Amino acid sequence: MESSHEKKKSCRIKDSIQDIFQLYNNLLGERRVDSTKGKHTAAAKKSNKNQYWDIIVLTTFDETQKLCFEHQIDKKRKCGELPEVAVYVIADPPGHKLGVGGSTLYVLSELRKELTNSLYEKKILIIHSGGSSQRLPSYSAVGKIFSPIPAEGLMVGSKVPQMFDLKLALYLPFCRLLKPGVFVSCADDIETYHLDVTDLDRQLLQESDVVALAHPSSLVIGEGHGVYVVKDVKDSTLSCVHECTEVLQKPSQSDMREAGAVWIESNENSDVERVWSDSVFWLGWDICSDLLHWFDSHHPISSELDAYAHFLPCLGSNKAKAKPSDFSDFRSNMLPIFQGRKFSVILLPDSEFYHLGTMEEYLAHFNVMKNFSHELGIQKNTSNIDNPCLLKDEQENFQPEVTNAGTFIQTHFSHQNLKVTVPDEFIQFVIEKCVIDLPINLTGSVIVSGCSIQKCSSVSLLSNTVTIFANLLYHTLPIIHQGKSIYVTVAFDLNAKMKAASDTLSGLNNYGRKLSEVVQILDLKLVMEHGQKLTLWNARMFTGADSAEESFWLTHHDINKVVCETEGTPLQTDVGNCRKTGLFSMKDVVEQKDLKKLVC
């Protein structure tokens, strides 16, 4: 049970976040009004000047993803959903996995080509958003930065904001606090916080070369993150700016204690051990200039340069006597650049760090993580009908009861009487961007994304209600195949190990069974390229179809056959009349995505 201390903390964060949303909405206000006139007034440009970032950058892992991002940004700009600011999309160079540090330096080197010396006068926000998002396949095609986050304070009418909008709002206070430099974030994390700027030492911020946000975390969390060693904090209940003496990267609990990173949080009748953990950070132009000089002489770099593992651990007074020879990785190169620089952290005792990088994390945040929903004002239902979810009455003696279980995002029901029935109010599910024309029954946790669950002339329904099989993600995407637009619905276990590679089918699992068993049940022949190991990402096991609804039913039928073999569950459909257009992998789907249909 959540303590009263945690409840009060969450309420303070919520109030602060809503104030930030209002501040951001005010910034967008004239932009939105003006977009309806099809032009941007001088007044709008003047009002935004010096209040916001000069440049925003999204990174991508290749040119194809860059094109997809640019389409979505253009759409947002036309709708007045962006401040009057330059937005660049910069793809990592082909064949190189740069890491957050390497990608940051590559971005700055590309911007310098266009801006020359004026670059060093800019306030820049970089959101690292490249990668194939294999652990959250529903956003592999469009990018996690464009995933919907139905935060009420950022909604305009029925328009649901995206992760991009959320980040542009949440970092606004730090843009105004910090001098020109580079603020670095990633696309799949969210920081919520209460910040009283009157508590902050503005002079120390102005004097700093590097500034980072620090969040109170358990020692267990600290073991998987960077931990800031901050000593002699007078009042750990107030946000403040403090010099950091050392950065520990994924330390053991004994290392945290030995370094003096552990502090005590007193609340109600208990004392709890805490550490200050990392998230986003800012680099001043003096240090960026030196980093670019190093990058110019070392590009292309041979391996990943990680800002968290190679930049930040070189900072702090405890590294004053360190030597490059103490390290065998990129820290030997970074130490001369970072050593002796003034490093400050903004301690945010009322803050939370949320990560939405996997299917299970995505599901949990929109269902069981109540503080996440409370602090951001998450709307549980942004579908076109009220009360779309009912509790199943096992005895069927009473009228089913409406429940607030699960989350519906931008989903369209064909009529008001359609419902999704669930076994209990604790079930976790997200149904997003779907079209639903039939009653649905859920038996367990699911993510259903972009699916068209409708009657189809080529599919015979053998039941009046569709059961969506549990513990799976379903996702439908349009692709271009042999010059024609078709659809593919992929499905993966929520706990699928998407990056795991195997030489044999029995080394991978999907639909709750070994892949060797799935292939046998479905009579599939998985053909792999010579020398390539098998992964769920590249396994060609999903059938293409002419329509989105046919595609959904074909994949649903395959899952049904596997479940039938396992549990004896009867088949719900006859798909014998469907016209199949080949087998595809998740990798194929991402590479062949139909961009026009995807971002329309």
Side-chain angles (χ1 to χ4, degrees), residues 106-174:
Y106 180 76
V107 163
L108 296 180
S109 69
E110 290 296 295
L111 291 176
R112 185 180 53 183
K113 293 176 184 178
E114 177 180 333
L115 302 172
T116 62
N117 288 336
S118 67
L119 172 69
Y120 305 110
E121 303 167 359
K122 307 295 185 184
K123 290 186 176 183
I124 298 178
L125 169 62
I126 299 177
I127 305 175
H128 290 289
S129 39
S132 54
S133 186
Q134 292 187 29
R135 297 186 299 165
L136 187 58
S138 45
Y139 289 97
S140 294
V142 299
K144 283 180 283 192
I145 191 65
F146 297 106
S147 62
I149 306 289
E152 184 179 21
L154 292 177
M155 291 181 67
V156 178
S158 60
K159 189 76 173 179
V160 174
Q162 299 168 327
M163 177 72 86
F164 190 28
D165 304 298
L166 185 64
K167 284 187 168 287
L168 295 188
L170 289 178
Y171 300 145
L172 177 56
F174 302 107

Side-chain angles (χ1 to χ4, degrees), residues 476-480 485-488 589 592-594 597-598:
T476 303
L477 276 168
I479 70 169
I480 299 292
S485 183
I486 65 170
Y487 293 84
V488 178
V589 167
Q592 300 175 43
K593 59 182 175 283
D594 186 338
K597 286 189 175 180
L598 200 58

Side-chain angles (χ1 to χ4, degrees), residues 385-449:
I385 67 172
D386 296 328
N387 305 318
C389 194
L390 296 177
L391 283 176
K392 184 177 182 181
D393 176 23
E394 296 294 343
Q395 287 75 38
E396 298 184 356
N397 295 325
F398 303 99
Q399 184 73 19
E401 180 184 348
V402 170
T403 177
N404 196 36
T407 301
F408 296 86
I409 304 174
Q410 293 174 294
T411 287
H412 181 82
F413 291 84
S414 62
H415 56 85
Q416 294 289 320
N417 295 329
L418 281 177
K419 300 294 178 184
V420 174
T421 305
V422 298
D424 59 65
E425 60 184 339
F426 304 108
I427 186 172
Q428 298 181 44
F429 67 88
V430 176
I431 298 177
E432 58 182 15
K433 300 181 180 179
C434 292
V435 177
I436 298 175
D437 191 35
L438 293 163
I440 291 176
N441 179 46
L442 302 184
T443 59
S445 299
V446 292
I447 299 173
V448 188
S449 179

Side-chain angles (χ1 to χ4, degrees), residues 485-526:
S485 183
I486 65 170
Y487 293 84
V488 178
T489 297
V490 299
F492 299 102
D493 293 339
L494 292 173
N495 62 354
K497 294 178 172 59
M498 297 297 297
K499 297 183 179 182
S502 176
D503 293 318
T504 65
L505 291 171
S506 58
L508 300 173
N509 293 281
N510 205 23
Y511 304 164
R513 300 281 294 261
K514 291 184 182 298
L515 204 56
S516 55
E517 298 169 343
V518 172
V519 166
Q520 184 176 10
I521 294 168
L522 300 181
D523 193 26
L524 295 176
K525 292 182 180 179
L526 295 187

Side-chain angles (χ1 to χ4, degrees), residues 131-304:
S132 54
S133 186
Q134 292 187 29
R135 297 186 299 165
L136 187 58
S138 45
Y139 289 97
S140 294
V142 299
K144 283 180 283 192
I145 191 65
F146 297 106
S147 62
I149 306 289
E152 184 179 21
L154 292 177
M155 291 181 67
V156 178
S158 60
K159 189 76 173 179
V160 174
Q162 299 168 327
M163 177 72 86
F164 190 28
D165 304 298
L166 185 64
K167 284 187 168 287
L168 295 188
L170 289 178
Y171 300 145
L172 177 56
F174 302 107
C175 174
R176 296 182 175 181
L177 279 172
L178 298 166
K179 62 187 179 183
V182 182
F183 196 89
V184 181
S185 175
C186 295
D188 56 6
D189 59 65
I190 295 171
E191 298 81 23
T192 61
Y193 56 90
H194 166 71
L195 176 66
D196 185 350
V197 295
T198 60
D199 294 334
L200 301 183
D201 186 338
R202 298 289 191 96
Q203 184 175 346
L204 183 54
L205 283 177
Q206 292 299 308
E207 294 171 353
S208 297
D209 297 298
V210 181
V211 177
L213 305 191
H215 312 274
S217 301
S218 67
L219 273 64
V220 173
I221 294 295
E223 289 178 306
H225 285 259
V227 170
Y228 299 126
V229 181
V230 185
K231 298 182 178 179
D232 302 323
V233 178
K234 293 180 181 179
D235 189 346
S236 60
T237 66
L238 298 176
S239 50
C240 64
V241 182
H242 210 288
E243 287 197 49
C244 179
T245 60
E246 188 175 3
V247 182
L248 310 175
Q249 182 62 18
K250 297 183 178 179
S252 67
Q253 294 192 21
S254 60
D255 286 342
M256 290 183 237
R257 290 193 172 90
E258 185 177 342
V262 180
W263 54 279
I264 302 300
E265 179 184 78
S266 299
N267 54 76
E268 297 172 350
N269 298 319
S270 64
D271 290 337
V272 182
E273 286 187 319
R274 297 290 190 202
V275 292
W276 295 107
S277 62
D278 64 3
S279 63
V280 297
F281 62 91
W282 169 90
L283 302 171
W285 279 119
D286 284 348
I287 203 166
C288 285
S289 178
D290 290 347
L291 284 167
L292 279 170
H293 181 72
W294 174 87
F295 188 72
D296 288 341
S297 59
H298 290 80
H299 179 68
I301 55 177
S302 57
S303 57
E304 287 189 56

